[in-house]
């Protein structure tokens, strides 16, 4: 896919990057079929085509190539068929949409450097509340029948981890990670450059459970300091990936898109909050208000019923 022009980096005070171990294999190679060993595929979740925003911010870089997405979907469908869930789990997903809920315990890990990034318990609870409103349809759109409850909070004062969380991810995650495949480990820290967060996909859990989780810029939390991205929807977006959702612009105007029928195809991620955007010839305007796009937080307000159904299917395959 076309790489948009890079822009100014996020302006923020941050400790100088510490000396330390070189970047792990997570950051070195792009992987292929998800069925291959994880060590050769981690970067498929982290370093695809980075789409820089014109204001210097990007939600994440969790884009899969069409071939990678096709391999993931083929394996997902095989698992659901093997579980006896009808046509790729449609019966189970329909039952979940009718009333059953997924309640997810959250282990929230605050990585800070002294006072920098040491977010309050009240701010953490506001983030959980925001996620519950997002996934419960209370801001608009569909109720996905997913909710979150704060299980525990850890605090780690480590300037090196805080200053370069990507470099030290292989160090702090195994030390801090708690729970199992159905538990969300959510890390808040400083993220340099223009990223607002990142996530692992659920199909990676079995191969490397301690790396499972979501990382967000602490200043993107509700009431944070990042202009246009401080309503807490960066966590909503990244948790969407953790639950198995793609970007709304996955595959662009071709292929099978994000594998959700009620999100119209979208060629490019949305920047800002335009009044109108339609980048593909297929029916439907771009889903600029969807949490899985790149719009400003002030523009985002909804998931679709199809995204909710996909979450439940993926949950059945990988996290139930």
């Amino acid at each position: 896919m076309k790489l948009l022009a890079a822009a100014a980096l996020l302006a923020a005070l941050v400790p100088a990057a510490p000396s330390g171990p070189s970047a792990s294999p997570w950051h070195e190679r792009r992987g292929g079929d998800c069925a291959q060993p994880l060590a050769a595929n981690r970067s498929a979740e982290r370093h695809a085509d980075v789409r820089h925003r014109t204001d210097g911010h990007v939600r994440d870089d969790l884009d899969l190539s069409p071939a990678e997405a096709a391999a993931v979907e083929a394996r997902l469908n095989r698992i659901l068929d093997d579980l006896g869930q009808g046509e790729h789990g449609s019966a189970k997903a329909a039952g979940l949409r009718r009333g059953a809920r997924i309640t997810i315990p959250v282990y929230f890990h605050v990585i800070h450097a002294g006072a920098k990034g040491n977010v309050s318990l009240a701010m953490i609870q506001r983030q959980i509340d925001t996620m519950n409103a997002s996934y419960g349809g209370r801001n608009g759109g569909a109720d996905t029948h997913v909710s979150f409850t704060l299980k525990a909070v850890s605090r780690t004062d480590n300037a090196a981890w805080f200053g370069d969380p990507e470099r030290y991810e292989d160090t702090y995650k195994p030390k801090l990670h708690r729970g199992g495949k159905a538990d969300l480990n959510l890390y808040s820290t400083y993220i340099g450059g223009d990223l607002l967060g990142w996530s692992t996909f659920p199909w990676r859990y079995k191969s490397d459970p301690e790396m499972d989780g979501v990382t967000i810029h602490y200043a993107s939390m509700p009431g944070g300091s990042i202009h246009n991205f401080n309503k807490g929807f960066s966590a909503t977006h990244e948790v969407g990936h953790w639950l198995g959702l793609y970007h709304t612009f996955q595959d662009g105007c071709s292929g099978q898109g994000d594998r959700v029928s009620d999100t119209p195809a979208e060629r490019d991620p949305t920047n800002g909050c335009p009044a109108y955007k339609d980048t593909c010839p297929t029916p439907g305007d771009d889903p600029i208000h969807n949490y899985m796009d790149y719009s400003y937080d002030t523009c985002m307000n909804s998931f679709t019923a199809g995204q909710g159904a996909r979450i439940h299917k993926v949950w059945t395959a990988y996290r139930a």
Side-chain angles (χ1 to χ4, degrees):
M1 297 182 184
K2 182 172 66 176
L3 185 66
L4 301 185
L9 298 178
L10 171 66
L13 293 175
V14 61
S19 60
S22 60
S24 72
W26 186 291
H27 307 284
E28 292 173 357
R29 288 188 296 189
R30 183 185 178 90
D33 191 321
C34 67
Q36 295 176 359
L38 180 68
N41 286 278
R42 281 176 167 175
S43 58
E45 298 173 4
R46 294 286 294 106
H47 282 190
D49 295 339
V50 181
R51 291 167 168 81
H52 293 273
R53 311 175 64 85
T54 59
D55 59 7
H57 300 126
V58 64
R59 294 273 177 199
D60 53 43
D61 52 7
L62 289 162
D63 301 313
L64 275 65
S65 72
E68 289 165 346
V72 167
E73 294 307 299
R75 187 180 180 205
L76 170 63
N77 292 336
R78 287 196 300 270
I79 292 171
L80 291 170
D81 287 341
D82 288 345
L83 290 172
Q85 302 299 337
E87 180 61 22
H88 311 321
S90 57
K92 177 74 170 180
L96 288 166
R97 291 200 306 275
R98 283 194 295 269
R101 302 193 68 87
I102 297 171
T103 301
I104 301 172
V106 180
Y107 291 89
F108 199 103
H109 306 286
V110 180
I111 299 173
H112 60 103
K116 293 180 180 178
N118 194 12
V119 297
S120 68
L121 181 59
M123 196 172 191
I124 293 169
Q125 190 58 62
R126 287 197 297 271
Q127 181 63 79
I128 300 298
D129 293 344
T130 295
M131 290 156 52
N132 280 324
S134 303
Y135 284 86
R138 295 199 291 277
N139 298 325
D143 180 356
T144 66
H145 297 281
V146 174
S147 60
F148 306 87
T149 182
L150 184 62
K151 179 76 170 180
V153 175
S154 73
R155 296 182 184 273
T156 305
D157 189 348
N158 188 307
W161 295 0
F162 180 77
D164 196 348
E166 289 187 271
R167 171 179 289 188
Y168 291 101
E169 190 173 25
D170 285 342
T171 301
Y172 65 77
K173 277 191 172 181
K175 292 178 180 297
L176 299 178
H177 189 276
R178 296 291 182 270
K181 61 184 178 181
D183 299 298
L184 172 61
N185 281 260
L186 182 53
Y187 303 83
S188 70
T189 187
Y190 173 84
I191 302 176
D194 51 14
L195 282 178
L196 294 171
W198 66 79
S199 175
T200 57
F201 283 114
W203 39 88
R204 300 299 184 195
Y205 179 85
K206 185 176 181 180
S207 297
D208 205 351
E210 290 183 334
M211 296 303 293
D212 187 62
V214 168
T215 303
I216 58 169
H217 197 305
Y218 76 93
S220 74
M221 294 170 65
S225 61
I226 302 179
H227 185 57
N228 293 319
F229 303 98
N230 59 0
K231 292 175 68 67
F233 295 151
S234 289
T236 296
H237 177 103
E238 299 309 330
V239 171
H241 290 310
W242 185 82
L243 290 167
L245 297 181
Y246 297 123
H247 290 135
T248 51
F249 45 85
Q250 172 69 39
D251 286 5
C253 296
S254 61
Q256 299 182 52
D258 64 353
R259 274 66 177 181
V260 176
S261 61
D262 56 2
T263 56
E266 184 177 24
R267 185 189 64 209
D268 301 315
T270 301
N271 179 54
C273 188
Y276 168 81
K277 179 168 168 271
D278 186 8
T279 56
C280 290
T282 50
D285 298 340
D286 289 5
I288 61 175
H289 301 295
N290 195 281
Y291 293 119
M292 300 312 293
D293 202 346
Y294 273 5
S295 309
Y296 286 168
D297 278 14
T298 50
C299 196
M300 290 180 160
N301 60 26
S302 58
F303 287 113
T304 68
Q307 287 173 313
R310 176 175 172 83
I311 286 171
H312 285 275
K313 289 170 65 174
V314 174
W315 186 272
T316 298
Y318 292 108
R319 296 201 183 275

